Amino acid sequence: MADDREPPPLFDDEKPDKKEEEDDLFATPNEAPKEEVKDEPASLPTEPAQDKASEDLFAADDDLFGDKQEGPVEVDTSKLRRKLTEDVDDLSPIEEPKPLIPTAADSGKPPQSDAAAKKEPPKEKEKAKEVKPAYKEEPANVSTDQPLLKPMKVSVDLHTPKPAQNMQEESAAPPQLEVVDEPPPEMDISGEGEEVDLDSPETEGPSSPAKMEPDSDSSPLEAPPMAEVLPPAKPVTEEKPKPTPAPRKPSMEKSKEEVGYTSFAQIEEEESGDQFALDIKVHDPGKIGDGMGAYMSYKVTTQCLDFGEEKKTSIPAFRRPSMTVTRRFSDFLGLHEKLSQKHVHIGRIVPPAPEKSVVGMTKIKMSKEDTSSTEFVEKRRALLERFLQRISIHPVLQMDPDFRDFLEQDELPRATSTSAVSGAGVLRLIKGVGDTLSKVTIKMDESDQWFEEKQNQVEALDQQLKKLHASVEALVTYRKELGISTAAFAKSTAMLSNSEEHTALSRALSQLAEVEEKIEQVHLEQADNDFFLLSELLKDYIGIIQAIRIVFHERVKSFHNWQNAQQTLAKKREAEAKFKQTGKTDKIAHAQEEIREWEGKVE
Amino acid sequence: MMDGLDDSPDLLAEDENKPRTESVDLTKDDTLSIDISDALSERDRVKFTVHTKTTLPDFRESEFSVVRQHEEFIWLHDRFVENEEYGGYIIPPAPPRPDFDASREKLQKLGEGEGTMTKEEFTKMKQELEAEYLATFKKTVAMHEVFLQRLAAHPAFRKDTNFRVFLEYDQDLSVRLKNKKEKLGWFIKSMSQSVDEVLLSNQKDADEFFEQEKGFLVEYHNRIAQSTKCADRMTKMHKSVADSYIKLSTGLGSLATCENTELDNYLPSSVRGASKETTKVFNKVSECFEKSRKLEARVSSDEDLKLSDTLRYYLRDTSAAKDLLYRRTRALADYENANKDLDKARAKNRNVQQAEQAQQRACEKYEHLSELAKSELQDFKKRRVGAFRKNLVELAELEIKHAKALNQLYRNCIAQLKEEGRAAKAQPQ
């Protein structure tokens, strides 16, 4: 573990260098004269960054840093380590990405003014303490991972500060100054590109609504307040400087968590059903209306189950312990639409809803009582049930107000955007095309190994599942045909037995025919079971993997956005530097405003 | 495979021998025993080594073997059909042409599709095809053997000179495939026969036994043809099901490796444990599928052997019996024609002598034929019942055996999976 973990930080350290070069290209022309001027703006970005980045997670690091400032280089390693371990243990719920944080934080510090560095730590520490108890609820296994990371962390801590401090002392030396100047953007790069975590906690500082989400993941106890907090969390699609950063960052972290939890934990959970507190049943499908306007409605019964005392309080938002509502298919689609609008954007995997089947529905609409349509309805019912159960076991999605409304409210506003032929459908189609295009055009160098592995793995899994699904489908078809041919054989054997003269043989043949008929039933039944149990399951997971890929894509997109913002920011800075140089003071203010705005976006 | 295939000729031979021994007491089974000791496939021809062991004085030696090709078997069969003396017998159906095209075609298809599947899958599929090819080959050999054995067991056929030549003459019989002209002649002949059959179908039959027999055989033939087709289709489907298990099991296997390799380092231990669980489960299930594939394949091949092959054989046998009936009806028609001719001749008082002779001949022929045919048909019925009984019983036994094995296999698999589940649950605690 430790070995595997090591590379990212190394990588991290290297990466800035590369970026540096790029930045140098931009910067070099103005370098020498800029020196003084740049010092100031350079520190500016770091401060807000620090502000946000330095809540509970970083409190520890800041603290350390504070120590270092006071009793500088003599900080002994053991002390450091102990401190770190303590902090790490406390903070365990925040996932793996952490190792990188120290690097980012530490290297980000040098340019910072001492005063700021000293002031901030205590505040953050308080905050951190407040939050810590909640985190302790986290299962122990996550923290078992953490200790392994420590050695590496410490080593980073020990190494990076020294050069940094040297730099501060010799800040006059131009070549080093370059390095000092450059860090802020670099830090952002390394911090964001690889470790999104850095920013996700930041939300806590400004008390933006989204910040609560990580908590909800970690402890069900915090659920009640969160339910109220969540609605505002709705990510805004237009890029407003302030709220966007919040959702965007968690997205990466979230998807990471999600992939880990959803795809594997769910498998587990499906086997041992006692992990979710909601028991949702979809039943009694019924046809409502006639002709083309007909639709199917399903009864959705929800029961809050109590598993142990802790969980009793887990979902107090429901008014009754058990409720039943009637929903039509498009309501389900509507729910999916709403949930994915809210959550996919920030990196959560929303379970895929069953597909709309025009053919199947038309069949139902047309036919009165038909075996094929009842099969279809039954299949769909099972799909819907699984869909709801998936949502219900998701720690965040189960808290979603839309989901609750769906379960509770007697009447739902009709979802209009889900009908297959509506304008919204067309829009969706166009958007889908756009997405695929951007999927092709946006290339992202995967900087996080975790994601890289994960993505590869998901791809592989997808491929395998698809293959498996195809072969199961083939099996089902073969088996059905086997059933049919067995039936034909039974029939012909019966005929044969009729024309057989020899009575005993005739009897034997007719018995054979009977047996074959039974075998046919068995074959058909088995084909059905193959289909429902295996094929559908695989299809489900293919759907989920699709959802995961969407999330990955979302991540790539946000990375892309962020990089764009990054570039613009660099340009603005340059422009500002020019203004200052040429002495156009009136424009400086404007430029600074712009810079601030873009800094916000970069965050 | 070996046992299964060797079974069928023996069974049939036994069945044939039993009734024979009743009618022909003098000859015991071991007086003339024939088997095909070896078969070689050279390109599209198959060379059978026919081995004969006999105590009959007509043969020069007591034990000898010759190499024969499929065409020579057909030639032998045709000689019997053409010989009027044997008109009253059911001539054993000629063995079907060795047909490996299906297997070859499949192999070719498989080769084309090689890129789309994993190596493991490919080798398994190939093995499966090779086994299939081997089975067809053996079956072909068995058919030829059965043909000879039936001839040898028959009191009349065994004495046939052509048959002897076939068995003894150690040079190439230099039979060629029918050339075009002969083929055309054959075609016309068979056409005229079927037309004749239709014409003769209105022929009143004095003998109720034959009337009834004819109706039965026609119907029976059609139905057994239907059954055979269905049974073939069924076995084929069964085979496909078994084959699709290959893909399933390899698919699951690769899924297992996929789960196993890539996650290990990046997941918290509990999830990693879970993934290992899944891996295990996948592996187990894949194993289970692999085993059940083999069983299903056995079921399918047994079904093919016991059911389809019996049906197919009797399909050909009934058609031979039908031919016999046709010959008899033909003779009857000839006889009636001769009667008419005689009447005419008497009326005109011309050629009475000649007509009388002709009528006499026809009458004799017809009566001889009828007599022979009657006993042959009864024989046929006995044989058929016996063969069906034997094969159906065996089929049922095998099916039960396989079903039990499958049941056991699935039970074990489920038990193992449950065990895993318990172990997995116990671990985290």
Side-chain angles (χ1 to χ4, degrees):
Chain A
M1 257 318 224
D3 289 343
D4 289 329
R5 291 260 160 210
E6 212 95 42
L10 287 177
F11 193 52
D12 187 358
D13 284 345
E14 279 162 22
K15 203 182 168 188
D17 289 343
K18 277 185 218 153
K19 291 273 176 174
E20 210 176 314
E21 278 166 27
E22 282 171 32
D23 285 0
D24 272 346
L25 287 179
F26 288 111
T28 26
N30 309 325
E31 208 64 74
K34 211 174 34 173
E35 213 180 82
E36 246 193 349
V37 191
K38 238 198 161 176
D39 236 336
E40 247 192 307
S43 64
L44 265 178
T46 39
E47 259 172 345
Q50 206 70 33
D51 254 322
K52 290 166 192 160
S54 57
E55 42 65 72
D56 53 328
L57 267 189
F58 306 99
D61 296 318
D62 286 12
D63 216 11
L64 283 175
F65 195 69
D67 284 351
K68 257 179 252 160
Q69 296 286 45
E70 282 152 17
V73 197
E74 290 96 338
V75 188
D76 83 0
T77 352
S78 66
K79 199 177 168 188
L80 249 178
R81 189 168 290 155
R82 205 183 315 128
K83 251 207 145 61
L84 262 174
T85 36
E86 276 165 16
D87 289 329
V88 166
D89 279 342
D90 284 344
L91 297 171
S92 54
I94 285 82
E95 312 294 325
E96 304 100 271
K98 260 177 81 202
L100 293 167
I101 293 155
T103 355
D106 278 330
S107 40
K109 242 135 257 178
Q112 199 182 24
S113 67
D114 286 3
K118 276 173 193 162
K119 272 178 201 166
E120 274 162 33
K123 272 189 217 159
E124 258 81 38
K125 221 189 169 184
E126 277 170 24
K127 267 182 205 162
K129 272 176 187 160
E130 284 166 20
V131 192
K132 272 170 197 169
Y135 284 134
K136 277 179 182 160
E137 301 284 329
E138 193 63 11
N141 51 34
V142 182
S143 64
T144 55
D145 245 9
Q146 237 50 23
L148 291 169
L149 305 174
K150 277 170 229 151
M152 178 213 65
K153 242 181 163 181
V154 172
S155 73
V156 175
D157 274 333
L158 289 177
H159 292 305
T160 39
K162 277 177 192 169
Q165 272 166 350
N166 286 344
M167 275 181 227
Q168 270 191 337
E169 284 159 21
E170 304 171 347
S171 59
Q176 272 155 351
L177 233 182
E178 257 180 55
V179 187
V180 179
D181 275 351
E182 244 49 62
E186 283 160 28
M187 259 38 266
D188 285 335
I189 292 163
S190 59
E192 286 233 26
E194 277 127 315
E195 265 350 294
V196 205
D197 242 22
L198 212 167
D199 306 275
S200 80
E202 132 219 352
T203 49
E204 191 132 299
S207 88
S208 117
K211 66 149 183 223
M212 295 305 276
E213 281 160 24
D215 297 8
S216 72
D217 273 348
S218 51
S219 74
L221 279 177
E222 292 210 352
M226 214 202 29
E228 286 122 47
V229 185
L230 250 184
K234 200 172 191 172
V236 195
T237 345
E238 325 93 52
E239 290 265 314
K240 276 187 206 158
K242 266 278 167 180
T244 16
R248 204 204 301 150
K249 270 84 184 218
S251 85
M252 309 198 174
E253 177 208 27
K254 202 68 5 130
S255 58
K256 195 182 271 192
E257 244 165 65
E258 222 73 344
V259 176
Y261 277 80
T262 321
S263 56
F264 302 105
Q266 253 179 23
I267 295 170
E268 271 186 312
E269 274 164 359
E270 274 192 354
E271 283 159 1
S272 52
D274 51 359
Q275 301 210 2
F276 44 90
L278 278 181
D279 183 33
I280 298 174
K281 286 259 180 312
V282 178
H283 55 98
D284 289 346
K287 189 167 126 182
I288 294 183
D290 255 326
M292 282 316 282
Y295 62 90
M296 297 298 296
S297 76
Y298 306 85
K299 286 219 162 71
V300 181
T301 301
T302 317
Q303 271 181 320
C304 291
L305 303 177
D306 300 326
F307 291 106
E309 280 170 32
E310 306 160 83
K311 290 213 175 166
K312 215 162 197 171
T313 53
S314 63
I315 312 165
F318 289 111
R319 283 163 297 184
R320 284 157 288 161
S322 156
M323 53 233 158
T324 305
V325 287
T326 309
R327 292 280 175 265
R328 55 178 294 179
F329 182 65
S330 53
D331 292 334
F332 285 87
L333 287 187
L335 172 69
H336 179 253
E337 195 85 346
K338 280 184 203 156
L339 288 178
S340 43
Q341 260 173 25
K342 260 191 235 172
H343 296 282
V344 168
H345 190 65
I346 52 172
R348 264 191 208 104
I349 296 164
V350 176
E355 272 163 45
K356 212 173 167 75
S357 159
V358 179
V359 182
M361 258 333 265
T362 322
K363 241 189 202 166
I364 291 177
K365 281 169 186 169
M366 289 312 160
S367 64
K368 297 287 167 207
E369 293 292 320
D370 193 3
T371 45
S372 69
S373 68
T374 52
E375 203 174 281
F376 170 78
V377 169
E378 167 59 25
K379 200 169 127 191
R380 175 169 274 182
R381 187 203 62 75
L383 273 175
L384 291 175
E385 194 173 292
R386 272 201 295 266
F387 170 61
L388 288 184
Q389 278 171 355
R390 283 234 166 78
I391 296 176
S392 77
I393 60 174
H394 192 288
V396 178
L397 293 182
Q398 90 179 147
M399 295 302 161
D400 193 279
D402 278 325
F403 179 54
R404 280 148 186 248
D405 282 351
F406 182 85
L407 294 180
E408 273 187 322
Q409 224 97 111
D410 288 333
E411 288 295 322
L412 266 192
R414 260 206 75 190
T416 47
S417 62
T418 50
S419 66
V421 276
S422 68
V426 178
L427 275 182
R428 246 199 325 246
L429 196 71
I430 293 168
K431 200 178 154 237
V433 173
D435 272 359
T436 15
L437 270 184
S438 69
K439 229 175 243 177
V440 180
T441 49
I442 301 179
K443 284 275 181 290
M444 173 185 179
D445 316 327
E446 195 49 82
S447 43
D448 187 338
Q449 226 185 343
W450 193 91
F451 271 110
E452 205 178 336
E453 290 272 339
K454 211 73 217 170
Q455 204 148 12
N456 285 342
Q457 194 229 339
V458 165
E459 292 288 321
L461 208 60
D462 184 41
Q463 230 173 9
Q464 293 298 345
L465 280 177
K466 275 193 181 143
K467 218 168 126 196
L468 199 60
H469 185 246
S471 33
V472 173
E473 294 269 271
L475 175 70
V476 171
T477 344
Y478 281 141
R479 225 197 267 285
K480 278 212 171 120
E481 268 177 56
L482 176 61
I484 290 163
S485 51
T486 312
F489 176 71
K491 222 181 211 166
S492 66
T493 316
M495 298 258 283
L496 190 65
S497 82
N498 273 344
S499 63
E500 174 64 61
E501 304 172 313
H502 196 273
T503 42
L505 184 52
S506 167
R507 217 180 306 130
L509 282 176
S510 67
Q511 266 163 8
L512 178 66
E514 270 170 41
V515 170
E516 291 292 348
E517 252 168 56
K518 276 177 199 155
I519 291 176
E520 178 227 338
Q521 288 304 317
V522 172
H523 279 316
L524 287 183
E525 208 175 289
Q526 199 176 352
D528 275 355
N529 283 342
D530 278 346
F531 184 72
F532 282 119
L533 297 181
L534 205 55
S535 179
E536 285 295 288
L537 180 76
L538 288 173
K539 212 165 152 194
D540 251 24
Y541 276 102
I542 289 170
I544 286 184
I545 281 179
Q546 196 54 40
I548 295 174
R549 283 164 91 172
I550 289 171
V551 169
F552 275 142
H553 176 59
E554 209 59 48
R555 180 172 169 271
V556 172
K557 258 193 347 208
S558 57
F559 175 78
H560 188 70
N561 285 341
W562 168 72
Q563 257 192 344
N564 278 347
Q566 189 81 42
Q567 275 173 10
T568 328
L569 176 64
K571 273 184 201 151
K572 297 278 183 216
R573 280 220 182 102
E574 248 172 71
E576 194 208 21
K578 258 186 205 158
F579 289 146
K580 281 195 178 167
Q581 215 180 325
T582 49
K584 287 176 186 169
T585 40
D586 51 333
K587 282 186 182 174
I588 288 177
H590 178 64
Q592 273 173 345
E593 198 125 307
E594 271 187 339
I595 286 174
R596 237 166 262 132
E597 189 180 312
W598 280 103
E599 275 163 6
K601 286 195 188 182
V602 168
E603 287 311 314
Chain B
M1 213 48 100
M2 194 72 194
D3 318 328
L5 276 167
D6 283 345
D7 275 355
S8 74
D10 289 348
L11 292 173
L12 287 168
E14 273 176 54
D15 290 335
E16 283 140 21
N17 287 338
K18 264 182 215 156
R20 293 294 152 195
T21 42
E22 285 166 29
S23 52
V24 192
D25 295 336
L26 289 172
T27 49
K28 287 282 171 226
D29 287 339
D30 54 347
T31 51
L32 180 64
S33 73
I34 300 169
D35 61 292
I36 292 175
S37 56
D38 194 17
L40 251 172
S41 176
E42 280 179 9
R43 303 209 173 191
D44 50 349
R45 345 197 106 208
V46 182
K47 288 187 169 170
F48 304 96
T49 310
V50 181
H51 178 249
T52 319
K53 224 175 174 179
T54 181
T55 53
L56 289 180
D58 309 314
F59 292 94
R60 275 169 300 182
E61 292 163 62
S62 65
E63 200 173 338
F64 44 84
S65 49
V66 286
V67 177
R68 292 280 172 263
Q69 289 182 10
H70 172 71
E71 285 72 27
E72 291 164 318
F73 283 83
I74 300 298
W75 168 84
L76 184 62
H77 178 255
D78 289 348
R79 295 290 83 71
F80 284 119
V81 172
E82 280 167 18
N83 194 335
E84 292 220 345
E85 269 179 55
Y86 302 133
Y89 297 113
I90 295 176
I91 295 155
R97 209 177 69 79
D99 184 18
F100 305 125
D101 290 350
S103 296
R104 286 220 185 86
E105 206 176 290
K106 269 193 198 164
L107 199 67
Q108 204 180 350
K109 240 194 220 163
L110 185 69
E112 281 162 14
E114 191 178 350
T116 59
M117 50 183 104
T118 62
K119 210 173 170 190
E120 202 185 344
E121 233 169 75
F122 179 73
T123 33
K124 267 187 201 159
M125 290 292 246
K126 210 174 155 193
Q127 275 171 4
E128 206 56 32
L129 269 185
E130 278 163 0
E132 204 180 299
Y133 174 78
L134 205 68
T136 335
F137 187 80
K138 280 182 176 166
K139 216 150 76 181
T140 315
V141 173
M143 294 281 197
H144 286 78
E145 203 174 39
V146 168
F147 172 65
L148 290 181
Q149 279 167 346
R150 263 189 77 179
L151 286 178
H154 198 281
F157 294 138
R158 69 190 319 181
K159 296 193 184 92
D160 185 79
T161 37
N162 281 323
F163 184 49
R164 276 195 197 155
V165 168
F166 179 88
L167 291 178
E168 270 191 313
Y169 189 60
D170 56 356
Q171 302 294 305
D172 195 351
L173 286 174
S174 74
V175 269
R176 59 215 151 68
L177 278 170
K178 288 171 193 148
N179 61 31
K180 265 184 194 163
K181 205 175 153 195
E182 279 171 315
K183 261 186 191 163
L184 195 66
W186 179 259
F187 178 70
I188 289 169
K189 206 180 143 202
S190 64
M191 277 296 284
S192 68
Q193 183 180 339
S194 48
V195 171
D196 237 15
E197 260 171 19
V198 175
L199 287 178
L200 292 174
S201 62
N202 292 327
Q203 180 82 43
K204 280 268 179 267
D205 205 317
D207 197 330
E208 216 171 272
F209 170 79
F210 283 108
E211 187 70 15
Q212 191 196 335
E213 201 66 10
K214 201 169 92 184
F216 161 70
L217 273 179
V218 170
E219 202 188 338
Y220 194 74
H221 180 75
N222 288 339
R223 290 190 173 166
I224 209 168
Q226 184 79 28
S227 290
T228 315
K229 227 168 80 193
C230 291
D232 274 348
R233 201 176 139 68
M234 189 173 80
T235 32
K236 215 176 113 202
M237 279 300 131
H238 217 126
K239 188 91 182 88
S240 311
V241 168
D243 282 350
S244 65
Y245 276 180
I246 297 180
K247 278 194 176 169
L248 262 183
S249 76
T250 45
L252 280 171
S254 49
L255 202 61
T257 43
C258 177
E259 286 272 7
N260 200 16
T261 50
E262 294 180 47
L263 323 171
D264 270 4
N265 305 327
Y266 288 86
L267 287 172
S269 56
S270 71
V271 182
R272 209 179 329 140
S275 90
K276 272 197 184 128
E277 274 332 298
T278 2
T279 307
K280 267 188 205 159
V281 167
F282 280 143
N283 274 333
K284 281 266 153 52
V285 176
S286 131
E287 228 172 77
C288 170
F289 267 122
E290 181 60 29
K291 277 180 196 154
S292 67
R293 167 184 79 89
K294 281 184 183 140
L295 275 172
E296 291 277 8
R298 281 298 297 273
V299 172
S300 128
S301 72
D302 283 341
E303 254 173 22
D304 186 43
L305 210 62
K306 298 288 170 212
L307 194 63
S308 312
D309 280 0
T310 319
L311 285 173
R312 204 172 302 125
Y313 191 79
Y314 280 93
L315 170 66
R316 284 185 291 123
D317 227 8
T318 35
S319 95
K322 249 172 71 186
D323 283 351
L324 166 68
L325 280 182
Y326 160 73
R327 286 195 295 269
R328 192 191 146 271
T329 332
R330 182 76 261 172
L332 176 64
D334 285 348
Y335 173 52
E336 280 181 0
N337 282 342
N339 271 345
K340 271 181 205 156
D341 283 348
L342 182 62
D343 284 349
K344 265 187 208 160
R346 277 198 183 132
K348 285 179 187 170
N349 219 346
R350 238 192 310 163
N351 289 340
V352 177
Q353 188 82 27
Q354 220 177 334
E356 251 173 12
Q357 272 173 10
Q359 191 255 1
Q360 196 68 30
R361 262 204 314 278
C363 176
E364 268 170 29
K365 193 185 165 198
Y366 167 70
E367 249 144 44
H368 175 68
L369 256 177
S370 296
E371 206 173 302
L372 272 177
K374 208 166 186 171
S375 73
E376 276 289 308
L377 282 175
Q378 269 157 354
D379 231 30
F380 165 71
K381 205 197 263 172
K382 265 189 222 156
R383 201 171 62 230
R384 201 189 45 185
V385 171
F388 266 104
R389 183 196 295 136
K390 187 140 201 151
N391 281 323
L392 285 182
V393 166
E394 276 178 3
L395 173 72
E397 275 167 1
L398 282 170
E399 291 273 359
I400 289 170
K401 199 182 106 195
H402 291 321
K404 269 183 185 158
L406 264 179
N407 189 13
Q408 184 67 26
L409 175 67
Y410 287 134
R411 260 174 217 287
N412 283 348
C413 183
I414 289 170
Q416 272 176 337
L417 289 182
K418 275 184 182 159
E419 193 99 337
E420 292 291 334
R422 264 200 296 280
K425 264 185 201 164
Q427 241 170 19
Q429 288 160 11

